[in-house]
Amino acid sequence: MTDTSIPSADQSLDEETPTATATETEEGTAEAREKKAPADSDLFRQSEIAADYVEGLLDILDYDGDIDELVSGGRPVVEVVGGRLQNLVGQRGATLEALQELTRLAVFRQTGTPSRLLLDVGGYRAARRKELAAVAKNAVEKVKEHGEPVRLEPMSAFERKCVHDVVNAMTDVESESEGVEPNRRIIVRPVAD
């Protein structure tokens, strides 16, 4: 029997990695990242494996779509573009998230290494990223205006990361995730003095 499990199933690979502790040195952290970070050629190989897997799924489902594989931001990316792909995204991206996990599993089975692959269908993630930036900015405005924390609706790991990135780029506010999947959400609050 083949083991198809991936490490830390409870922790999504989309979420930020923990920051270094105060006891770690800058050099030690950099060396650890170099050892752990796959080379661009390995990442591109992961995106090729994923693209082949997605192409097979599209053939089975009789969907037409162009598939692009690339490496962006230190992670493999597969983008599927074409008409009639909304069913592959699903409500609020739920089907897309499931397809991404299946695709990551296909990569893991061939490489033996967990993948941080990002799958996008029909530009959904790019459009959602813009929507989430607006949600994050709105939450920040409310926090700055009223001085009270703002709890956002539950989100996927991808969505939470998008919001954290926007909030972390602003001053006088901070964000953190709370709760357990699928009800994990972000709280935006004023920075504690």
Side-chain angles (χ1 to χ4, degrees):
M1 184 158 119
T2 305
D3 180 15
T4 58
S5 62
I6 57 176
S8 301
D10 292 338
Q11 180 183 6
S12 173
L13 293 171
D14 284 332
E15 292 189 52
E16 309 91 302
T17 55
T19 57
T21 62
T23 58
E24 291 179 319
T25 65
E26 292 283 328
E27 293 172 2
T29 304
E31 288 173 11
R33 270 191 234 119
E34 286 177 19
K35 290 178 185 177
K36 291 180 185 177
D40 280 352
S41 61
D42 293 336
L43 296 175
F44 190 74
R45 169 91 173 106
Q46 289 179 20
S47 68
E48 287 177 321
I49 293 167
D52 290 343
Y53 179 77
V54 170
E55 184 176 9
L57 284 176
L58 292 177
D59 288 345
I60 291 168
L61 296 171
D62 196 28
Y63 281 19
D64 290 325
D66 293 324
I67 300 172
D68 293 325
E69 64 251 7
L70 54 132
V71 173
S72 177
R75 66 191 305 174
V77 177
V78 172
E79 296 174 345
V80 182
V81 292
R84 205 174 63 95
L85 295 173
Q86 185 57 36
N87 288 340
L88 296 178
V89 174
Q91 185 176 5
R92 293 200 58 211
T95 305
L96 176 57
E97 291 292 330
L99 289 173
Q100 177 174 277
E101 289 305 313
L102 288 172
T103 307
R104 285 177 173 176
L105 181 58
V107 171
F108 177 74
R109 288 186 71 180
Q110 283 198 26
T111 64
T113 305
S115 176
R116 294 183 61 235
L117 173 89
L118 185 65
L119 176 64
D120 194 7
V121 174
Y124 173 80
R125 291 199 190 273
R128 185 68 177 141
R129 195 175 277 121
K130 288 179 184 175
E131 292 171 11
L132 292 165
V135 167
K137 288 174 184 174
N138 186 34
V140 168
E141 287 175 15
K142 287 181 181 178
V143 168
K144 286 183 176 182
E145 182 179 332
H146 301 290
E148 296 292 321
V150 173
R151 283 182 169 70
L152 301 177
E153 65 185 38
M155 298 179 185
S156 69
F158 163 77
E159 293 171 323
R160 290 192 310 271
K161 177 154 180 12
C162 292
V163 172
H164 283 306
D165 288 347
V166 171
V167 173
N168 289 336
M170 298 186 175
T171 58
D172 300 327
V173 290
E174 62 187 7
S175 62
E176 72 174 332
S177 295
E178 73 171 9
V180 179
E181 296 291 352
N183 296 315
R184 196 157 168 79
R185 65 180 66 230
I186 290 180
I187 300 173
V188 180
R189 65 173 46 100
V191 172
D193 292 330

